[in-house]
Amino acid sequence: MAITKIKLIPKSLITDKANEIDSVKKIKIEGDKAYIDLLFNANRAWDSLRTFREERERCKNYTYGKQWNDIIHYEGRDITEEQYINEQGTPALKNNLIRRLLRTVMGVNRGQDKEPVCVANDRDEQKLGETMSIALQYNWKANRMNEIKGRIFEEFLISSGAFLKETVGWRNDRYDCWTDIVDPKRIFFDGNMQDIRHWDLSMIGEIHDLSFDELASTFARKKSDYAMLKNIYNNAVRRDFLTNYFDDIAERHKLKNIDFLVPEDTTRCRVIEIWTKETKVRYHCHDFLTGEYYKVEEDAIEEINRDNAMRIKQGTDEGMDPSDIPTIETEWFIDSYWYYRFLTPFGQVLDEGETPYAHKSHPYVIKLYPFIDGETHSFVSDFIDQQRYINRLITLNDFVIRASAKGVLMIPEEAIPDGMTPEDFAHEWTKFNGVIVYRSKNVSQLPQQIANKSTNIGISELLQVELNLMEDVSGITGALQGKPGLSGTSAALYQQQQQNASSSLLDILESFDSFIIEDSLKKVKNMQQYYDSKRIMTIVGAGAQGYVVYDPDKIKDVEFDLSIYESANTPTYRMIANDFLMEIWRAGQISLEQLLASGSFPFADKLLQSIRSTNEQMQAMQPGQANQPQGYDMQQVQQATGQPNANAVNQLSNAIRG
């Protein structure tokens, strides 16, 4: 039989069913075109959020005082409302109430001062939950999370979106888990989401503008990588070229939404980070010998089959029933997982890989509120119309006042003396001890000064209506803003008004709390994964529990739930804790030293230091010596510095936590 010579096709280029299921392998086989398509898909996701970014920009402008920037069509031109009003000879006035309302809501959120607390699912591991809670608080302080919470909550009110990113790395000579605010102008995600929890997200990413040095230090692993980056971003190295070449392009796309491919600063290098949900064939495995459940890649099934064959042979040789031999059972399935890519604007891959995080997801945490039918509605946007009308009313009132007669001097022409101009006459008229000499016989009418009141067109009444509507629409009443109550308003009614106003904000505050919980869950998973050595973590301040030893061997595999509780730093918490401590101290269950150490009292630290100093002196004294400290009764000192009562300490701890 003659052998026919045929052209061989590389196995990797043959698209079989496996490659159709493995989305990452399929893209790599298709090559550059597939990466360009991925870049275009990301661009479409970016464009789908254009309305969101424009509405956010508008709400931000109204929040920070740029309240006449809406575009109108006038005499064939598109101009801002401010330009139009200025062209009428009238200043565009504003009374920014939105900013005050936002500060009020932010103050309510700050006043709650809540913190996430870890609770182990296994009751036997509750002590580890306390350790993880302290570790989480320790990381929060390292990230200045209180300030991040404040700023991201403000963004949440303005744009209806909150975006954070949880990463791991070196910063400030410290390897840790870090939290960063993501600029809403730079993030993009799948616009087809419908789930209010955002669990149906399939794509998310961010655009980065880096200097060439930052780019090289991040993505260059060897000398050839540096040369490749320099070739791709040669324009970024040649700043003069970029400035001349891209200025007109950047100017066309700048507007309110930055361009997806072209950086605003032409000296920067644009990198697009894209996280997508991919699929591939994997196997669920259950090892009956160890009881372990896990999943493996498709190419690992041959090794598992060999291991099973060896176990069956060994069990058969030992006379075991074949059905009773502990083998590794496998189940074929299509796995869904997150995959990241860093692409250039030209489609080249700078870095890619499966998610390195133990939580098996992307590093972003997002919250859109309220998220109904794929749409969001900003808290600020609810009362922009009232703010617009208030600005128009005060501008109209200013116009009416300026158009009214205010001390106009009516001078008969014959009353002006010879050689004197009307301006000179008016100046002398208003001059202190001024004298105007004229011939009365020729004057039929004396000069007179006219001052008319502004025309009453009900502006004040309309303004008050809009101010009341602003409170009604926002739900932020004067009581919540700290305004004094009306005459005759009782203290109980005023307090009820404050409570009602707080209740109207409960939904948005609780939604933000859920966002913080989602972020903390990813942070805890990252800490369990990357805190791979023992650490001593110290927490200072009110409610501090001293220090704790973080042992990764004990904590890394523990499953935690997170809840949001009021911090020990809030005035309400401190008052309740102090009242309880005083009660058990009066009952003689704890010493004075314990009371001062556990409570939040004025001058507590100074008093505690004094007591401990006295205690040290007493311990150094021999019985019967006369050098007893002046002003102290020995019995009182001993009572104040006595040993802790374990039952009282446990009672206090349970009360504070419950």
Side-chain angles (χ1 to χ4, degrees):
M1 180 179 174
I3 299 176
T4 305
K5 188 175 182 180
I6 61 173
K7 183 180 180 181
L8 297 177
I9 301 174
K11 184 179 176 181
S12 60
L13 297 180
I14 301 175
T15 303
D16 54 14
K17 292 184 178 180
N19 290 339
E20 291 179 359
I21 297 174
D22 194 330
S23 54
V24 172
K25 185 180 290 185
K26 183 179 180 182
I27 290 177
K28 289 182 178 180
I29 291 174
E30 294 178 356
D32 295 342
K33 179 182 179 301
Y35 288 111
I36 293 294
D37 291 342
L38 178 63
L39 199 61
F40 284 159
N41 289 336
N43 199 352
R44 281 195 292 269
W46 168 267
D47 289 338
S48 69
L49 297 174
R50 179 174 292 273
T51 303
F52 169 80
R53 292 192 296 273
E54 291 177 344
E55 183 65 19
R56 174 198 178 260
E57 187 75 14
R58 182 170 183 256
C59 291
K60 186 185 72 172
N61 286 337
Y62 269 89
T63 300
Y64 295 109
K66 298 179 181 179
Q67 300 178 345
W68 292 98
N69 282 4
D70 288 347
I71 302 298
I72 60 174
H73 189 76
Y74 176 69
E75 294 183 348
R77 300 179 298 158
D78 290 332
I79 59 176
T80 65
E81 292 178 325
E82 185 173 13
Q83 288 177 292
Y84 171 77
I85 294 177
N86 290 337
E87 290 180 4
Q88 310 306 311
T90 302
L93 303 178
K94 59 181 179 289
N95 182 18
N96 191 358
L97 299 178
I98 293 180
R99 183 61 177 155
R100 175 171 182 170
L101 295 179
L102 251 68
R103 285 198 295 263
T104 301
V105 181
M106 293 166 61
V108 173
N109 184 59
R110 288 268 193 174
Q112 293 180 345
D113 197 15
K114 295 181 177 179
E115 295 178 347
V117 175
C118 298
V119 180
N121 292 336
D122 191 339
R123 294 185 62 86
D124 296 334
E125 297 174 334
Q126 290 302 316
K127 186 63 178 177
L128 297 178
E130 296 177 7
T131 301
M132 197 71 226
S133 296
I134 295 176
L136 185 58
Q137 294 178 27
Y138 184 80
N139 184 269
W140 267 46
K141 293 183 181 297
N143 279 280
R144 308 296 191 267
M145 282 298 297
N146 285 335
E147 184 61 24
I148 287 180
K149 277 180 58 185
R151 299 285 66 80
I152 201 67
F153 184 68
E154 185 175 18
E155 177 67 44
F156 192 57
L157 297 174
I158 294 174
S159 69
S160 72
F163 311 98
L164 292 177
K165 190 176 185 181
E166 291 290 338
T167 58
V168 181
W170 285 95
R171 294 185 189 181
N172 304 322
D173 296 327
R174 176 175 179 173
Y175 188 81
D176 214 324
C177 301
W178 304 105
T179 305
D180 297 298
I181 296 177
V182 182
D183 190 345
K185 295 185 297 184
R186 294 183 172 272
I187 197 172
F188 59 90
F189 45 84
D190 182 14
N192 296 320
M193 286 193 306
Q194 296 294 325
D195 193 338
I196 61 173
R197 300 162 297 185
H198 315 315
W199 289 357
D200 56 346
L201 186 69
S202 61
M203 174 187 287
I204 190 170
E206 182 183 3
I207 58 176
H208 304 275
D209 290 332
L210 310 174
S211 67
F212 184 78
D213 293 337
E214 293 171 335
L215 180 80
S217 64
T218 303
F219 297 104
R221 304 289 187 268
K222 51 186 182 295
K223 189 175 181 179
S224 59
D225 291 343
Y226 182 87
M228 178 197 69
L229 292 173
K230 191 173 182 179
N231 182 56
I232 295 174
Y233 292 96
N234 58 353
N235 292 335
V237 180
R238 297 176 56 192
R239 299 186 177 186
D240 57 335
F241 178 85
L242 253 175
T243 301
N244 296 328
Y245 186 77
F246 279 127
D247 269 354
D248 60 331
I249 300 176
E251 192 64 30
R252 290 199 303 268
H253 294 281
K254 209 168 186 180
L255 302 176
K256 297 177 182 177
N257 293 282
I258 60 180
D259 188 73
F260 185 72
L261 298 175
V262 181
E264 294 182 40
D265 184 353
T266 54
T267 65
R268 313 291 284 184
C269 303
R270 174 62 55 87
V271 177
I272 297 100
E273 179 181 2
I274 306 174
W275 289 75
T276 55
K277 230 174 191 180
E278 306 289 352
T279 57
K280 70 185 306 182
V281 173
R282 282 177 169 150
Y283 283 85
H284 284 301
C285 300
H286 178 205
D287 192 338
F288 279 88
L289 183 63
T290 62
E292 184 181 4
Y293 289 88
Y294 57 95
K295 61 182 178 182
V296 297
E297 303 293 336
E298 187 178 19
D299 55 7
I301 197 67
E302 295 182 2
E303 182 179 353
I304 292 177
N305 290 335
R306 288 194 297 267
D307 192 2
N308 282 338
M310 183 185 67
R311 294 186 184 187
I312 292 174
K313 183 179 184 304
Q314 180 181 349
T316 303
D317 294 343
E318 295 176 0
M320 295 178 62
D321 188 333
S323 63
D324 200 31
I325 298 175
T327 58
I328 303 175
E329 290 190 355
T330 60
E331 182 182 17
W332 183 95
F333 77 106
I334 299 177
D335 193 15
S336 178
Y337 63 99
W338 283 95
Y339 196 88
Y340 70 89
R341 299 175 182 88
F342 289 87
L343 303 180
T344 72
F346 313 103
Q348 294 98 334
V349 182
L350 300 178
D351 190 19
E352 65 178 324
E354 188 172 347
T355 176
Y357 303 110
H359 53 68
K360 302 299 181 183
S361 186
H362 53 80
Y364 299 95
V365 184
I366 69 173
K367 183 67 177 181
L368 303 174
Y369 170 89
F371 192 63
I372 301 175
D373 294 336
E375 300 177 352
T376 62
H377 304 276
S378 167
F379 177 77
V380 171
S381 66
D382 288 343
F383 38 87
I384 280 181
D385 287 343
Q386 277 68 45
Q387 179 68 68
R388 284 164 56 89
Y389 204 54
I390 288 172
N391 292 343
R392 279 152 178 77
L393 286 174
I394 62 176
T395 301
L396 177 60
N397 191 60
D398 177 71
F399 176 80
V400 172
I401 292 175
R402 290 189 300 108
S404 302
K406 297 174 285 294
V408 177
L409 184 62
M410 301 287 291
I411 311 173
E413 186 176 353
E414 62 269 19
I416 301 177
D418 296 337
M420 179 178 285
T421 65
E423 291 76 14
D424 295 336
F425 190 100
H427 177 74
E428 193 68 23
W429 180 276
T430 58
K431 180 180 177 182
F432 179 74
N433 291 330
V435 178
I436 300 176
V437 181
Y438 63 94
R439 297 179 181 178
S440 61
K441 65 179 182 179
N442 295 328
V443 179
S444 60
Q445 186 178 356
L446 296 176
Q448 59 179 328
Q449 198 161 6
I450 301 175
N452 290 342
K453 293 183 178 180
S454 302
T455 304
N456 185 8
I457 58 175
I459 294 179
S460 299
E461 292 79 3
L462 289 173
L463 185 59
Q464 187 58 51
V465 169
E466 290 301 320
L467 292 174
N468 294 337
L469 282 175
M470 178 73 85
E471 293 188 358
D472 291 341
V473 173
S474 66
I476 306 171
T477 63
L480 191 62
Q481 299 178 52
K483 296 180 179 179
L486 299 176
S487 179
T489 304
S490 64
L493 178 59
Y494 189 79
Q495 186 177 5
Q496 185 63 45
Q497 291 174 347
Q498 286 183 316
Q499 184 176 350
N500 293 341
S502 300
S503 299
S504 67
L505 301 175
L506 187 60
D507 186 55
I508 193 169
L509 294 174
E510 290 289 340
S511 290
F512 186 74
D513 285 347
S514 69
F515 167 74
I516 296 299
I517 289 177
E518 289 294 326
D519 176 74
S520 299
L521 281 171
K522 283 194 174 181
K523 183 182 289 291
V524 167
K525 286 292 185 181
N526 286 346
M527 293 168 65
Q528 288 179 291
Q529 180 180 1
Y530 293 99
Y531 283 12
D532 53 3
S533 60
K534 288 187 177 182
R535 303 187 179 201
I536 297 178
M537 302 177 180
T538 304
I539 303 296
V540 297
Q545 303 183 37
Y547 73 94
V548 66
V549 178
Y550 181 94
D551 190 345
D553 295 333
K554 297 179 179 179
I555 293 181
K556 64 181 180 179
D557 296 326
V558 179
E559 291 292 330
F560 295 105
D561 285 333
L562 270 84
S563 301
I564 293 287
Y565 291 112
E566 188 174 4
S567 170
N569 294 320
T570 61
T572 302
Y573 188 99
R574 291 197 298 268
M575 182 180 66
I576 295 174
N578 285 349
D579 289 344
F580 176 79
L581 288 169
M582 289 297 296
E583 289 293 330
I584 60 177
W585 175 72
R586 292 190 184 101
Q589 298 299 307
I590 59 174
S591 66
L592 179 60
E593 185 176 358
Q594 290 176 284
L595 174 68
L596 297 175
S598 302
S600 300
F601 303 98
F603 311 108
D605 293 338
K606 185 177 181 180
L607 291 172
L608 186 60
Q609 184 178 2
S610 176
I611 292 175
R612 288 173 175 173
S613 177
T614 302
N615 187 35
E616 292 175 357
Q617 295 181 34
M618 299 305 303
Q619 291 179 350
M621 294 171 52
Q622 297 294 329
Q625 286 186 339
N627 56 344
Q628 178 178 324
Q630 298 294 321
Y632 290 94
D633 181 79
M634 284 294 298
Q635 184 178 358
Q636 294 179 349
V637 172
Q638 291 174 357
Q639 181 182 0
T641 59
Q643 296 297 318
N645 187 312
N647 293 330
V649 174
N650 293 333
Q651 186 180 0
L652 173 63
S653 178
N654 294 332
I656 293 178
R657 297 182 183 281

